[in-house]
Amino acid sequence: MALAPVATRGAARVVRCGAVGLSTGLLAVLAHAGGGGHVPSLPHVLVFAFAIAWTCVPLTDRQLGFAELLGLVGVVQVAAHVFLALLTRHPRELVPSPSGLLAHAAATAVVVAALAGFEQAVFRLAAAVASVLPRTTTPPPAVAPLRIPIAAHAPQPPAEVLRRRALPRRGPPRS
């Protein structure tokens, strides 16, 4: 009997994180370039997209709603803009131009719409596959005894235990 697939665990979760990282990272770079900013090298873009995907792991333990996706992608767009501005070493680009701001807003809207549809599709697909697969209602029976390792302490006589726990005797003060 197989376990039913769930979109919040395993490969589906990795795919969801990767989709968020790649789509958000790549569209942030395209929006930055569309607004007149510098386009970084491919390794920089991939490292940034991987960092976004890794950051999304704690968030993908449940289905993300529209508001959560909007907040996530908005924060990533700001982080991407700052990262790209610092990468090009132009502090004047830290505050986006009106065209850059518009490009980032458009990229945010496109990514949120795409990710919201992707989330719905992944969860519907997982539910459809889970409805076809057999379910396990009880755990499989144990076939071996449970072994719990217990560290053995060397036996000590009670007098030794009492001697270590008691306060040491004091003698008369030295003169």
Side-chain angles (χ1 to χ4, degrees):
M1 295 233 169
L3 291 175
V6 179
T8 57
R9 293 191 312 242
R13 188 173 186 176
V14 172
V15 168
R16 290 173 59 220
C17 291
V20 169
L22 283 176
S23 63
T24 306
L26 292 177
L27 274 178
V29 169
L30 291 175
H32 189 76
H38 175 71
V39 177
S41 64
L42 183 62
H44 286 115
V45 173
L46 292 178
V47 166
F48 184 71
F50 179 76
I52 294 167
W54 182 71
T55 305
C56 291
V57 170
L59 301 173
T60 55
D61 61 343
R62 63 191 181 288
Q63 184 175 4
L64 298 175
F66 184 80
E68 293 168 319
L69 285 170
L70 183 62
L72 172 67
V73 174
V75 168
V76 168
Q77 288 293 316
V78 171
H81 178 78
V82 170
F83 171 74
L84 293 170
L86 293 175
L87 190 64
T88 60
R89 295 182 181 89
H90 290 116
R92 60 180 168 75
E93 290 183 7
L94 204 52
V95 176
S97 65
S99 64
L101 193 60
L102 184 63
H104 278 293
T108 300
V110 167
V111 170
V112 168
L115 288 177
F118 181 72
E119 281 281 298
Q120 290 290 327
V122 166
F123 277 85
R124 285 184 181 160
L125 179 64
V129 170
S131 69
V132 175
L133 292 178
R135 297 178 190 224
T136 57
T137 56
T138 60
V143 293
L146 182 62
R147 294 183 184 205
I148 302 174
I150 299 174
H153 296 290
Q156 296 180 357
E160 177 67 21
V161 174
L162 289 174
R163 187 188 65 76
R164 277 190 282 124
R165 291 185 183 171
L167 293 174
R169 294 181 175 236
R170 283 187 46 183
R174 289 188 183 181
S175 28

